[in-house]
Amino acid sequence: LAVPLAFAGVTNAVGAAPPAAPPCPPPVQLNVLVSAEKDALVRRLALEFEDDSRRHNPLGCKELDTLVYTGPSAEAAAAALGRGWQPGDLTAVGAEPHVWLPDSTAEVRAVQAALWQRQDVALHPRAGVAVTPVVLGVSEELSARLAELAGDFHWRDVRRPAEVDTSSGAGVAAAAALAHAELGGLDLTAPGVPRALHGITRRTTSDEPCVGDVALVGSEKAVVTTDGCRVLYPRDGALVLDHPFVEVERPKRPNPRRARIVDRFLDHLLSPSTQEEFKREGFRDVAWNVGARPGVRLDRPRTLPVEPDAAAVRSAWEAAARPRVIAVAGDGSSDANLFATAVRRLAGPRDRVIDLPLVQGVVEAGVGSGANVVVLAAAAAIPPVGFDGSGPVRVVAVGFGNGACAGSTALSAAAAAHGGPCREITTTNGSGASEGQERALDDIARAAWGGLT
C-alpha cells in the first residue's frame, strides 16, 4: 500500500508545478550605420533602445543586440552601400547595415542611383529623425564687423572659410552652399565650373575656425558646439540636413523579426523624449524646434530650395581642391608672356607653376618635373615638340593668331596627343582678347581641376 500512495503523491506534485517557461530566442542583430554628426547621440539612444527591449517582452527576454558605427567616412559608407556591401567592405567599412542614418536625403539619392540595377539590396527612406540647417560660424570679432547685417550674411561674401571635408554628408552640403553662390546654381557640367570651384577651394584654410576672419561653414549643430563660434544665418537661404532614417533591405533574405525591430527603432527615435535628446545635442527636432542655446534662431530660418547631387558635388569639389603642378612653356613673345602671368594667377597656395623652354621634348620635361598640365603658348609657328605618351599629363595649347590651332600645326598635334584642346586667341585688344583668354584659362583649369583622373 505504501508504494502506490507514494507514487500518487509524486504524480500529484508534478501535475501541480507550473509549466516551464520557453527559452528566450537569440536576440536580433541590428547594425546601424550612422553619420559622424550623430554618432555619439545615436550610440546612446541605441543602447537605451536595446536595454528597454526586455521591458516590452512578456518573458523579459532581451530582443536585440545593436552595433552602431560610422565607418571611415560617409563617403566610404556611401560607396560600400552603392556596391551592395561586398565581402571586403566588412573589414574596410564595417558590418552590413540594417539601418542607415546619413546626414541628408541627397546622399540617399546618390546611393539609390548606384543601386538601381541591383535586385539583392534596396534602400527604403522612412522619415527624418532631426533637422539641421547649414549656417556660418564666425568669431566675436568678425561677428561685430557684420553687425550691420543683423546677424545675416550672403554665401558669396564668405571670403576665408575653414577647409570643407566633403567625405562627410554635412561637408557635401557646405560645399554645395558655397558652390551654389559662386555658380548661381549647381550645374557642375559648365566649362567654367572647375575654375570657379578652384577659386573657392584655394581660399579655404586649415587655420582654426572662428578665430580672426576664419569662418566655419557647417551644420548649425557643429557651429553651436564649436568653441568661439557665433552663428550667422544666410540671407539667400540655408541648405538643410534632414537626417533620414533608411532601412537597408535584402529582399532575398527577409527577416520579419528584424523588420519589426527596425520599425520600433524608428518609433523610438521619433518619440518625444528622444526628440528632446536631439535638441539638447544641438539638432532641431522634426518640427524645427531648437533647444535653448545662445545665438540660435528660434524660428525656422529661410531655406535654399536646392537638391544637390551628392556624388557630383563631392567629385567636383575634391577635384577642385587637389594640388596641381602646371608647367608653362612660352615662345618668348609678349602675348605668351602676358598669358603665362594670367596662368600663374590661377594657382592657389597648394599649387605650383613652373616655367619650361618651348623646345622639343617639353612635354617629357613637364612629366619629369611632376607637372599635371603642360601649357604651350606661342604667337608664331613652332617646330614639333615631340612626345612619347608617357606620364599622366594633359597638354593645353594656346596660339595667338588665325590658324594657330589648325590641324597641321605642332601646337594642335601636341594638344591632341595628350587629350587637351588648342585654343586660338585672334585679337590683341578689346573684349575679344579678354573672352579668348578667359576661355583658354577655363581650358587649363578644366585640365587641372576638372575631374579625378
Side-chain angles (χ1 to χ4, degrees):
L1 182 61
V3 171
L5 289 176
F7 177 74
V10 170
T11 55
N12 287 340
V14 171
C24 289
V28 172
Q29 182 64 39
L30 183 66
N31 298 334
V32 181
L33 175 61
V34 65
S35 67
E37 187 100 343
K38 301 185 291 293
D39 179 35
L41 175 59
V42 171
R43 285 180 189 275
R44 188 169 72 248
L45 296 175
L47 184 59
E48 292 173 0
F49 178 63
E50 179 182 311
D51 291 341
D52 198 47
S53 67
R54 294 183 186 275
R55 186 170 61 84
H56 289 279
N57 188 282
L59 300 176
C61 297
K62 180 183 179 184
E63 294 186 331
L64 71 148
D65 289 321
T66 57
L67 172 65
V68 179
Y69 62 102
T70 61
S73 67
E75 182 177 14
L81 283 164
R83 291 188 293 268
W85 217 270
Q86 299 299 311
D89 295 321
L90 175 63
T91 54
V93 184
E96 178 184 336
H98 308 118
V99 171
W100 180 30
L101 297 173
D103 287 329
S104 71
T105 296
E107 298 171 85
V108 182
R109 286 196 297 267
V111 174
Q112 286 177 318
L115 289 173
W116 75 275
Q117 286 186 309
R118 297 187 67 103
Q119 303 298 318
D120 57 336
V121 60
L123 303 184
H124 299 293
R126 307 283 282 278
V129 298
V131 181
T132 320
V134 175
V135 298
L136 192 70
V138 299
S139 63
E140 294 282 352
E141 172 190 354
L142 186 55
S143 176
R145 279 187 282 170
L146 296 174
E148 66 274 12
L149 298 179
D152 292 344
F153 72 100
H154 289 287
W155 285 116
R156 65 175 180 271
D157 297 329
V158 181
R159 305 313 304 166
R160 196 165 180 240
E163 287 183 347
V164 175
D165 180 9
T166 53
S167 69
S168 73
V172 168
L178 293 171
H180 184 273
E182 187 75 18
L183 303 174
L186 278 178
D187 178 6
L188 301 177
T189 63
V193 166
R195 184 178 173 188
L197 289 185
H198 183 63
I200 303 173
T201 61
R202 64 182 287 186
R203 299 199 308 265
T204 63
T205 175
S206 58
D207 292 347
E208 186 177 353
C210 299
V211 175
D213 61 349
V214 179
L216 174 62
V217 181
S219 70
E220 186 181 55
K221 183 261 183 186
V223 170
V224 301
T225 56
T226 299
D227 290 341
C229 283
R230 293 284 302 274
V231 184
L232 298 184
Y233 294 88
R235 287 185 170 186
D236 30 8
L239 282 172
V240 176
L241 305 175
D242 56 347
H243 301 287
F245 181 102
V246 183
E247 179 184 2
V248 183
E249 182 195 11
R250 290 285 185 173
K252 297 179 181 179
R253 290 186 279 144
N255 188 321
R257 282 185 67 206
R258 182 180 293 124
R260 290 191 292 272
I261 293 293
V262 168
D263 291 341
R264 282 170 44 194
F265 186 46
L266 175 58
D267 291 341
H268 176 66
L269 295 181
L270 293 176
S271 67
S273 61
T274 301
Q275 289 288 290
E276 287 297 322
E277 288 283 330
F278 275 103
K279 290 195 294 182
R280 277 192 288 271
E281 290 292 320
F283 298 92
R284 292 177 182 246
D285 67 18
V286 292
W288 282 85
N289 299 310
V290 65
R293 286 182 177 270
V296 174
R297 182 168 293 175
L298 299 181
D299 60 342
R300 178 171 178 167
R302 181 182 177 186
T303 58
L304 196 62
V306 173
E307 296 183 357
D309 181 329
V313 170
R314 180 175 278 137
S315 176
W317 187 273
E318 290 176 1
R322 62 188 174 179
R324 308 307 267 167
V325 177
I326 301 174
V328 181
D331 65 353
S333 65
S334 59
D335 286 333
N337 291 341
L338 287 173
F339 186 75
T341 300
V343 173
R344 291 186 186 93
R345 287 196 290 267
L346 288 177
R350 294 178 287 271
D351 305 311
R352 189 160 57 97
V353 178
I354 59 177
D355 294 314
L356 293 175
L358 185 50
V359 297
Q360 188 172 16
V362 63
V363 178
E364 286 75 20
V367 173
S369 301
N372 306 105
V373 179
V374 174
V375 179
L376 309 178
I382 63 170
V385 298
F387 52 88
D388 63 7
S390 64
V393 67
R394 301 287 296 276
V395 173
V396 177
V398 178
F400 300 90
N402 288 313
C405 286
S408 59
T409 64
L411 278 179
S412 179
H418 292 274
C422 187
R423 177 78 61 181
E424 291 182 3
I425 299 178
T426 57
T427 56
T428 56
N429 53 52
S431 61
S434 175
E435 180 181 353
Q437 175 169 297
E438 293 306 305
R439 289 181 177 177
L441 292 173
D442 283 343
D443 290 338
I444 295 167
R446 189 162 56 251
W449 301 290
L452 291 176
T453 57

